């Protein structure tokens, strides 16, 4: 299963429209927008999970740099989130 990062999303993009864009390339397990806890608005990025690696790579190649809801989106394989160390020096 591949987790895909989608950045530079329009504030008008919904999880449904994200799901629709990616389902054109294969099965979508989940489509999630990351929301700001205070304003409850999208932070402008999200994630899609697809079970088929070939479909995921095809979606990435096809959608990266393309227009989605009026914005050119950045699409790539999501990187694993490294654990935060609250005591580290940045």
């Amino acid at each position: 299963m591949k987790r895909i990062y989608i950045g530079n999303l329009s504030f008008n993009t919904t999880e449904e429209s994200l799901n629709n864009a990616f389902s054109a390339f294969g099965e979508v397990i989940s489509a999630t927008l990351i929301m700001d806890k205070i304003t409850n608005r999208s932070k402008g990025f999200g994630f899609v999970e697809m079970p088929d690696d070939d479909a995921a790579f095809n979606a990435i190649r096809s959608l990266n740099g393309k227009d989605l809801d009026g914005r050119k989106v950045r699409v790539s394989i999501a990187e694993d989130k490294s654990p935060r160390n609250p005591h580290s020096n940045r």
Side-chain angles (χ1 to χ4, degrees):
M1 176 171 21
K2 288 292 180 208
R3 187 165 189 238
I4 303 166
Y5 165 84
I6 306 94
N8 199 39
L9 289 171
S10 165
F11 291 123
N12 297 323
T13 299
T14 64
E15 289 179 349
E16 183 179 356
S17 65
L18 203 54
N19 189 334
N20 290 340
F22 280 82
S23 65
F25 299 93
E27 180 185 354
V28 172
I29 293 173
S30 68
T32 307
L33 291 176
I34 305 306
M35 306 299 281
D36 183 279
K37 292 176 187 172
I38 297 170
T39 64
N40 204 33
R41 277 183 59 177
S42 167
K43 287 189 172 187
F45 68 98
F47 298 94
V48 168
E49 290 183 327
M50 298 180 79
D52 183 302
D53 289 355
D54 290 336
F57 287 121
N58 191 25
I60 291 167
R61 278 192 305 273
S62 298
L63 295 174
N64 187 43
K66 298 295 189 239
D67 185 279
L68 180 63
D69 295 326
R71 301 282 301 264
K72 288 186 190 236
V73 294
R74 291 186 308 271
V75 184
S76 62
I77 294 294
E79 296 179 13
D80 287 335
K81 193 165 133 178
S82 59
R84 291 186 188 188
N85 183 350
H87 302 292
S88 69
N89 293 331
R90 293 181 187 204

